[in-house]
Amino acid sequence: MTDVAYRNHRHYISEGWSAEPKEMFKRLAEILGKEWLSKSRDVLDVGCATGELLGFLRRMVPGGRFVGVDVSEDLLEAGRRLLPEAEFVNASALDLPGPLAGGFDLVTAFGCMSIFDEVELERFWDQLLAAARPGGRVIVLSPLNEFGCDMVIRHRKRLNGKVGSWERGWNIFAVETIGDILAARGIQMSLQRFAITIDLAPRPDPVRTWTIATKDRDRQLTNGLKLLIDHYFIIATKP
Ligand SMILES: C[S@@+](CC[C@H](N)C(=O)[O-])C[C@H]1O[C@@H](n2cnc3c(N)ncnc32)[C@H](O)[C@@H]1O
């Protein structure tokens, strides 16, 4: 299996920003709190797509530097049009440009950790932590596994009779794996589960998530990989 890439990003351009702020953004604002939001803040969003999260936070705080990093130039171009007051940088989460180091009160990465394999995870966290100021927060939103299992997943779609290429983006790591990485860096992580509050229907792309009712939950996220997906905010404060 060669050339396994993350490819599921076209919809960020075709669908644009949501008319209403996403539920996960509103939850992030609650986690940050009114006091934090009342001051000018420097924010870095890694895997920023078209900058929707940056746009939301920019409206919440009185000022500061807003930087988005992504590897897709198409997404960054759209971000530059939608949020001209932010900077959009083409770089990998695994290799953030040196000048970003130590510069941010908040570093976010939503929906991005699952792209990386176990061998890349420590580097991913080291890069995010390096970008934060001492006392700054790193907040990652990602599915986690609560049963002590790490899953490294490859998937391939067969759409309209065409066999696609192998893709990544759905690795799900055990809570303990992330806890150990952060503990080794002297950081105790805090977790908050993000429970979706709206029903989502399946879409033509089977990798996009939708909700089903289960015995335990009214809304359980799943997708065509037949995963049960539970997102968590992983919150770490840089020492
Ligand atoms: C699932 S999307 C999440 C987008 C956005 N953060 C959100 O929550 O809506 C993952 C994003 O990570 C980006 N990405 C893929 N590989 C990356 C890498 N190595 N470094 C930084 N971003 C990457 C993709 O281009 C895509 O925009």
Side-chain angles (χ1 to χ4, degrees):
M1 200 186 301
T2 53
D3 187 27
V4 182
Y6 174 85
R7 299 179 215 278
N8 238 66
H9 62 262
R10 303 300 325 163
H11 63 94
Y12 288 105
I13 294 179
S14 57
E15 292 172 12
W17 289 8
S18 320
E20 281 296 311
K22 290 184 177 164
E23 288 299 314
M24 63 180 79
F25 296 174
K26 292 194 245 170
R27 272 295 302 282
L28 172 67
E30 283 167 23
I31 291 168
L32 293 169
K34 284 204 173 95
E35 210 273 321
W36 191 94
L37 292 166
S38 69
K39 300 198 175 95
S40 180
R41 300 291 183 181
D42 297 330
V43 179
L44 172 68
D45 186 32
V46 176
C48 64
T50 59
E52 189 167 2
L53 174 57
L54 288 173
F56 170 78
L57 288 171
R58 180 64 197 84
R59 288 194 299 276
M60 303 287 289
V61 300
R65 184 181 179 206
F66 286 76
V67 182
V69 164
D70 205 286
V71 286
S72 160
E73 193 53 36
D74 291 359
L75 296 178
L76 295 166
E77 271 302 313
R80 288 179 193 115
R81 277 196 307 278
L82 290 160
L83 193 65
E85 60 270 50
E87 301 161 50
F88 288 91
V89 181
N90 192 332
S92 171
L94 301 181
D95 199 10
L96 293 178
L100 299 181
F104 297 91
D105 303 302
L106 174 67
V107 179
T108 50
F110 282 17
C112 195
M113 190 174 85
S114 291
I115 294 167
F116 302 109
D117 287 350
E118 188 264 340
V119 289
E120 298 164 320
L121 260 191
E122 294 200 26
R123 189 171 174 87
F124 171 76
W125 278 99
D126 280 335
Q127 294 285 299
L128 301 188
L129 287 165
R133 298 199 164 103
R137 274 191 268 188
V138 176
I139 304 187
V140 168
L141 181 75
S142 177
L144 290 176
N145 179 292
E146 310 87 346
F147 295 95
C149 294
D150 290 318
M151 295 192 294
V152 174
I153 293 179
R154 300 289 184 259
H155 65 275
R156 186 172 71 175
K157 291 184 261 191
R158 305 178 69 104
L159 293 177
N160 309 319
K162 249 184 76 190
V163 184
S165 0
W166 286 100
E167 298 182 43
R168 52 162 88 199
W170 283 103
N171 294 340
I172 302 184
F173 296 102
V175 169
E176 294 87 339
T177 299
I178 309 303
D180 285 353
I181 289 174
L182 290 170
R185 286 146 183 83
I187 298 168
Q188 198 184 354
M189 73 173 177
S190 123
L191 289 183
Q192 289 199 26
R193 196 170 92 81
F194 171 65
I196 187 143
T197 54
I198 50 168
D199 295 328
L200 294 178
R203 283 170 278 205
D205 180 350
V207 168
R208 306 280 298 275
T209 50
W210 67 86
T211 49
I212 53 170
T214 66
K215 187 167 72 60
D216 301 322
R217 290 189 185 141
D218 291 343
R219 291 184 192 90
Q220 169 68 59
L221 274 180
T222 187
N223 70 357
L225 278 68
K226 298 190 83 170
L227 300 170
L228 298 181
I229 299 153
D230 289 312
H231 282 99
Y232 288 84
F233 290 97
I234 307 166
I235 305 161
T237 300
K238 180 163 169 170

